[in-house]
Amino acid sequence: MVSAINYNSAAALKVFLEQENLGMRKKFGQNFLINPETRKSLAQALGANAGDEVWEIGPGLGAMTSALLEKGLTVKAFEIDSGFIRVLKQLFADNNNFHLIEGDVMKTWQSQFSCGKPDADAENKHALFLLGNLPYNIAAAFLADMIEKRRLFTRMVVTVQKEVALRMTAAAGDANYSSFSLLCASVYKVKPLMLIRPSSFYPQPNVDSMGLLLENKNSDYYPQAFYPLVRSLFASRRKTIKNNLLNFLSSRYGRAGTSPGDLCGALLKENKLSGGERAETLEFDVFLSLARSVESILGK
């Protein structure tokens, strides 16, 4: 059985890791949040109540897990590191509210998303919470995958690299505005919670992090073309939307019986666009209107 862990001390964690013959693997983006006040603030921001189910991504040695279980929450923890899995099992195996999902969360999350219901169609059912100090190397891909598959949560509190956070919160005209910004904005209100300095972690990362709150907007389902269109219009940032839109139409609808050039012109005219604009200057509603026009004109 493992000994009690002091989650607030880098020195104590280092000793524990050595005693348990555990290493920190860079490829997993492992950094323990050792600032207790920051951990407390993140858990409180989640707003989950006793009995609610919370997904925890990357529990590590269980610092946040302990706090969540103490609040009476049911925790479904996703962990890839075999050494940490061993520790987590020893720490929480007797707690009926703790459920451990072993392996790469990018490969395991979708099979677990049922929102407490047996059916496979989880669209527009937002009964879950998520908390995670997301590994920097998967944060954007993980969130994007969930959003595009419409597997959504009532509230999420995530810690990500500051650079990723700036992309998630960027608005039109901002240098960080991207297809990922629009992806997040399509279903969540993204609010910065706090800047987290490297000294709050062990080992210390080389960059600042940010805690973010994502609140579900309960938005209507978007046209099928919306996400592919957004990605295409940002694919070549130096090109005008006319050029990127033409490439999008040619690749997806080139055999629809209508010239991509004619379609492009019709879409721009319907949305009162000259075609000389660039994607980073367009508000969210413009992308949505374009996608609806694609659906209306082409029926898909």
Side-chain angles (χ1 to χ4, degrees):
M1 194 70 179
V2 299
S3 57
I5 304 173
N6 181 353
Y7 296 116
N8 305 330
S9 166
L13 284 174
K14 183 178 180 181
V15 170
F16 177 84
L17 291 169
E18 291 173 350
Q19 289 176 341
E20 295 294 325
N21 196 29
L22 298 173
M24 301 294 287
R25 290 197 261 181
K26 188 175 181 180
K27 68 176 182 178
F28 293 156
Q30 295 168 330
N31 301 91
F32 300 123
L33 185 54
I34 60 175
N35 186 317
E37 291 304 314
T38 299
R39 294 200 306 267
K40 181 179 178 180
S41 295
L42 292 171
Q44 288 179 339
L46 191 63
N49 298 311
D52 288 333
E53 181 180 77
V54 178
W55 281 22
E56 185 185 7
I57 311 303
L61 296 176
M64 294 296 295
T65 313
S66 298
L68 296 174
L69 291 172
E70 287 173 5
K71 293 181 65 175
L73 301 172
T74 296
V75 179
K76 183 174 287 187
F78 294 75
E79 180 56 58
I80 191 173
D81 188 291
S82 58
F84 295 170
I85 287 171
R86 172 174 59 81
V87 172
L88 291 168
K89 285 180 176 179
Q90 293 183 53
L91 288 173
F92 306 117
D94 294 333
N95 192 316
N96 292 330
N97 288 333
F98 177 73
H99 307 280
L100 183 61
I101 311 300
E102 301 179 28
D104 184 349
V105 68
M106 293 293 291
K107 299 177 181 178
T108 61
W109 74 262
Q110 196 168 354
S111 66
Q112 298 298 318
F113 204 108
S114 65
C115 294
K117 299 178 183 295
D119 57 296
D121 182 9
E123 288 180 7
N124 299 319
K125 298 168 186 170
H126 314 306
L128 297 175
F129 297 83
L130 182 145
L131 180 72
N133 177 20
L134 301 183
Y136 292 164
N137 59 337
I138 71 161
F142 173 66
L143 293 171
D145 194 28
M146 283 192 159
I147 291 171
E148 290 203 54
K149 290 183 171 67
R150 297 290 291 192
R151 301 301 189 250
L152 308 176
F153 295 82
T154 302
R155 291 164 73 92
M156 298 198 295
V157 172
V158 297
T159 301
V160 297
Q161 185 176 344
K162 181 181 176 181
E163 178 184 349
V164 174
L166 293 176
R167 290 170 56 203
M168 293 173 67
T169 56
D174 191 303
N176 293 295
Y177 192 54
S178 66
S179 59
F180 187 47
S181 310
L182 284 156
L183 195 68
C184 294
S186 69
V187 289
Y188 289 113
K189 295 177 183 177
V190 186
K191 301 178 181 179
L193 291 173
M194 67 193 76
L195 178 68
I196 309 175
R197 299 294 187 186
S199 58
S200 292
F201 295 94
Y202 172 75
Q204 291 191 22
N206 296 322
V207 295
D208 288 335
S209 303
M210 288 190 73
L212 298 175
L213 170 64
L214 284 73
E215 296 180 289
N216 198 307
K217 294 165 61 175
N218 294 311
S219 53
D220 294 332
Y221 192 75
Y222 293 105
Q224 185 178 345
F226 179 76
Y227 293 133
L229 174 66
V230 167
R231 286 196 301 270
S232 294
L233 292 186
F234 275 97
S236 299
R237 295 179 72 95
R238 293 186 179 182
K239 290 185 178 180
T240 64
I241 61 165
K242 180 178 181 180
N243 287 330
N244 283 330
L245 182 58
L246 186 58
N247 289 336
F248 169 75
L249 294 170
S250 298
S251 63
R252 293 179 66 91
Y253 306 108
R255 299 180 182 178
T258 304
S259 162
D262 291 341
L263 285 173
C264 183
L267 289 169
L268 292 172
K269 182 178 180 180
E270 184 172 317
N271 288 277
K272 298 179 174 59
L273 295 167
S274 69
E277 301 90 348
R278 284 179 168 76
E280 60 266 28
T281 68
L282 302 180
E283 301 285 348
F284 177 88
D285 288 346
V286 177
F287 290 92
L288 182 55
S289 179
L290 276 169
R292 285 174 174 163
S293 294
V294 169
E295 188 175 70
S296 175
I297 292 174
L298 295 170
K300 58 181 77 177

